[in-house]
Amino acid sequence: MAKEHTLLSTEIVNRGVESSGPDAGSPTFSVRVRRRLPDFLQSVNLKYVKLGYHYMISHGIYLMTLPVLIVIFGAEIGSLSKEQLLQKVWEEASYDLATVLAFFAVLVFTISLYITSRPRPVYLIDFACYLPPEENKVSKEEFITLARKSGKFDEASLAFQSRILKSSGVGNETYMPPSVFAPGVNCATMKEGRAETSAAMFAALDELFEKCRVRPKDVSVLVVNCSLFNPTPSLSAMIVNHYKMRGNILSYNLGGMGCSAGIIAIDLARDMLQANPGGYAVVVSTEAVSFTWYTGKRRSMLIPNCFFRSGCSAVLLSNRRTDFRRAKYSLEHIVRTHKGADERSFRSVYQEEDEERIKGLSISRDLLEVGGHALKANITTLGPLVLPFSEQILFFAALLYRHLFPTKQSAATPSASTNAPYIPDYKRAFEHFCMHAASREVLDHLQQNLDLTDANLEASHAVLHRFGNISSSSIWYELAYLESKGKVRAGDRVWQLAFGSGFKCNSAVWRAVRRVRKPTRSPWLGSIDRYPVGN
C-alpha cells in the first residue's frame, strides 16, 4: 500500500463559484488524484544493468585486451635503451629476414582483416523537416472555434479539450490539416490520408535530396514509418513511384509502432546498410493527423486531438567511408526497450472504437507510470554504454552496497530510503537532449527524474510549443532547433529518446563529426528568435 501511495500525486482544482443548489455563491474545490512517473531513485532493475554491460563488453572486448598487450610490450621495450633496441632489431632482421617479413605480413593481414570485418560506421549526412503551409496554422482559440463549427462535438467535449489545451504546453502556431474541421465530413478517408501524407513526405524529401545533392535513384534502402495510416500500396511504394526509384531498392513500411517508430526505422536502416554496404538509406517519419482525429465523447480518446499535429522528417544515412567528410553525425548506439508483455503497458495507448463505434486512440491513465518503467529499463541499459567511467563506478558501488546491506523502508516515509541506488548524471554523458515532446507533463516528469535542467529540455519544450506533438518526427525537429541555435559543435553527443505504443522506449545516440553550422533551410526560420519561450 505504501509503495502504491508513492506513485500517486494530488492536485487541488478550483472549480469556480457554485451557481445553484444549497452552496450557491460559494467557491468549490475538488482534489484530483493521478498516477505520476515512478521515482527512479527507489528501484533499479539489476537485469537491465547486466544487459547494458553485456552490450558494452560484446562490442568492446578489444578495450580489455589491448591495454594488457600494450603493458606487456611496453615492459619489454622499456627495459632496453634506444641503441640496444636498434641493435636488437638489426640483429634479428639480419639473422632471419624471412621471419621478419613473415611477421609483418601476418601483422598487415590481421589488421586488414580486422578493419574489413568490423561494422562500417553509419553517418547521418543531413535531414529535413516539413514546414506545413501557413493556411494550416491553428491557434488554441481557433482550434475550439473550428471544432465547434464542425458540429462534431458537444459542449462538454469542447470544454474538456479546451481545459487540456490550456495546460498542454502547445502554442498558438501549430499546424493541422483543414479536413479535420470540415463540417459533417469523415476526415479519415483514404483520399484525405494520401493527400496529407504525400504533401508532407514529398516536401521533406525534395528538400533532403536538394540539400544532400543526392539523386533518388542513388538510394538503396527506404524505410517509412507512419503509425495509423497504412494504405495499399504502402507509403514507401508511394515514394518509390513518385521519385521513380531503382527497381532493386530495399523498401520497408512500418505501421502501428507509435511515436518511437522513428528510432526503430533508423535501427532497421542501419542493419540494412551493414548487410548491403556502400549505399544510401532514407528514413521518413510522419503521421496522418486526420487518422488520429476523434469526434466522439470518450475523454480518454479526446486527449490526442489536443496534442497531435502535422509534421514529417526525412533523414539520409550512409555507411560509405568517403562520406565522413560531409556527414553531420555518426551513429553510436541504439537501445530499444519493449514492455508489450505487460498487459497494462500493451493497452496504455490503444486504438479502438467507443460505445458509438467511433474509432479513436485511447490514452490510459496508467500511461505515465507505464512510460516511467519503460524509460527506467531503457536508460539503465544505455548507461554502461555512454556514461563516463567515474559515474559507472559510483553507480556500481552504490548498487553493490544496496544489495549487500539492505535496509527496511518505513511505512510512514517510503521515499526516505537510505540505500537508494545512485542515479548517474546523464548530463556528463550527453551535451544535447532530444526528448520526445509528448506533453508538458511528460517533459516535467522526465526533467525531475533524470535531474535535467531547463536548458537540457529547451529543444523539447520549444518543439511542443511551436509544432505540438508531431509523433515520431519530433526528435528531428528538436535536433533542427539545436542546429538553428548554433549549439552543436564537433564531438558533441546527442541523445534522442522517444516513447511509443506497445509500450516502447527507444534511444539513439549520435556524435557530431564536425561543427554544425546554422542551416539555411529549416522549419525554425522566422521563429527561432522567439525561443525559448521565457525570452
Side-chain angles (χ1 to χ4, degrees), residues 305-359:
N305 288 359
C306 304
F307 291 97
F308 282 105
R309 298 294 187 266
S310 299
C312 179
S313 65
V315 181
L316 181 66
L317 303 175
S318 170
N319 64 349
R320 299 180 179 183
R321 301 187 191 278
T322 55
D323 283 327
F324 172 79
R325 292 183 178 275
R326 67 177 186 135
K328 284 186 174 182
Y329 307 92
S330 63
L331 180 61
E332 294 201 333
H333 305 289
I334 289 182
V335 174
R336 294 167 53 183
T337 302
H338 201 304
K339 288 289 189 176
D342 175 65
E343 189 66 23
R344 284 201 309 157
S345 299
F346 176 71
R347 297 187 67 90
S348 59
V349 181
Y350 201 79
Q351 188 181 21
E352 59 183 345
E353 293 89 8
D354 64 6
E355 297 78 8
E356 300 177 359
R357 302 187 65 82
I358 301 176
K359 187 182 296 184

Side-chain angles (χ1 to χ4, degrees), residues 36 67 90 129 162 170 179 190 221-222 234 264 285 390 395 448 455 472:
R36 61 181 176 85
W90 174 255
C129 297
S162 180
V170 176
S179 61
M190 299 302 292
V221 179
L222 173 65
S234 65
I264 299 174
S285 300
S390 58
F395 173 76
Q448 176 185 354
S472 55

Side-chain angles (χ1 to χ4, degrees), residues 136-446:
N136 290 5
K137 188 178 291 186
V138 178
S139 67
K140 289 185 284 188
E141 184 178 351
E142 290 172 334
F143 178 96
I144 299 299
T145 301
L146 292 172
R148 179 177 284 109
K149 288 182 179 180
S150 70
K152 300 175 183 178
F153 302 96
D154 57 20
E155 287 300 321
S157 298
L158 290 170
F160 174 76
Q161 292 179 86
S162 180
R163 290 197 302 271
I164 294 293
L165 280 171
K166 289 180 180 179
S167 60
S168 63
V170 176
N172 289 314
E173 294 186 304
T174 59
Y175 301 89
M176 296 196 71
S179 61
V180 300
F181 298 116
V185 177
N186 176 23
C187 63
T189 63
M190 299 302 292
K191 181 179 180 180
E192 291 292 346
R194 283 193 174 97
E196 180 186 350
T197 52
S198 60
M201 294 190 305
F202 298 157
L205 286 168
D206 286 345
E207 180 182 337
L208 179 71
F209 291 141
E210 183 180 343
K211 289 167 67 175
C212 299
R213 296 187 296 277
V214 170
R215 300 178 306 164
K217 286 187 178 294
D218 294 333
V219 177
S220 58
V221 179
L222 173 65
V223 184
V224 181
N225 68 270
C226 182
S227 187
L228 295 182
F229 180 57
N230 293 284
T232 300
S234 65
L235 296 178
S236 60
M238 288 170 55
I239 294 175
V240 172
N241 174 262
H242 180 79
Y243 290 100
K244 310 304 178 187
M245 292 180 164
R246 60 169 71 174
N248 64 343
I249 188 172
L250 301 176
S251 173
Y252 301 90
N253 198 93
L254 306 180
M257 308 195 77
C259 301
S260 66
I263 295 179
I264 299 174
I266 293 290
D267 192 21
L268 176 59
R270 177 187 64 174
D271 291 344
M272 291 300 100
L273 285 177
Q274 299 293 6
N276 304 273
Y280 289 115
V282 169
V283 175
V284 180
S285 300
T286 189
E287 191 58 75
V289 178
S290 54
F291 276 71
T292 67
W293 191 248
Y294 171 70
T295 58
K297 300 178 181 179
R298 188 189 292 184
R299 295 194 170 185
S300 63
M301 301 171 75
L302 286 168
I303 294 176
N305 288 359
C306 304
F307 291 97
F308 282 105
R309 298 294 187 266
S310 299
C312 179
S313 65
V315 181
L316 181 66
L317 303 175
S318 170
N319 64 349
R320 299 180 179 183
R321 301 187 191 278
T322 55
D323 283 327
F324 172 79
R325 292 183 178 275
R326 67 177 186 135
K328 284 186 174 182
Y329 307 92
S330 63
L331 180 61
E332 294 201 333
H333 305 289
I334 289 182
V335 174
R336 294 167 53 183
T337 302
H338 201 304
K339 288 289 189 176
D342 175 65
E343 189 66 23
R344 284 201 309 157
S345 299
F346 176 71
R347 297 187 67 90
S348 59
V349 181
Y350 201 79
Q351 188 181 21
E352 59 183 345
E353 293 89 8
D354 64 6
E355 297 78 8
E356 300 177 359
R357 302 187 65 82
I358 301 176
K359 187 182 296 184
L361 200 62
S362 178
I363 305 298
S364 169
R365 293 182 178 181
D366 298 327
L367 182 61
L368 275 179
E369 182 186 356
V370 163
H373 289 302
L375 173 65
K376 182 176 65 176
N378 187 268
I379 66 173
T380 307
T381 305
L382 179 68
L385 302 176
V386 298
L387 288 168
F389 189 68
S390 58
E391 286 293 315
Q392 295 194 46
I393 289 295
L394 291 173
F395 173 76
F396 183 77
L399 191 66
L400 184 63
Y401 179 84
R402 178 172 175 264
H403 283 274
L404 292 178
F405 305 100
T407 60
K408 295 182 178 179
Q409 295 184 5
S410 170
T413 57
S415 61
S417 174
T418 58
N419 66 336
Y422 173 76
I423 299 301
D425 184 4
Y426 283 88
K427 296 189 295 295
R428 298 192 60 188
F430 307 105
E431 284 74 32
H432 307 290
F433 298 79
C434 295
M435 306 292 188
H436 171 52
S439 69
R440 184 164 65 184
E441 186 177 14
V442 169
L443 293 177
D444 289 344
H445 282 295
L446 281 173

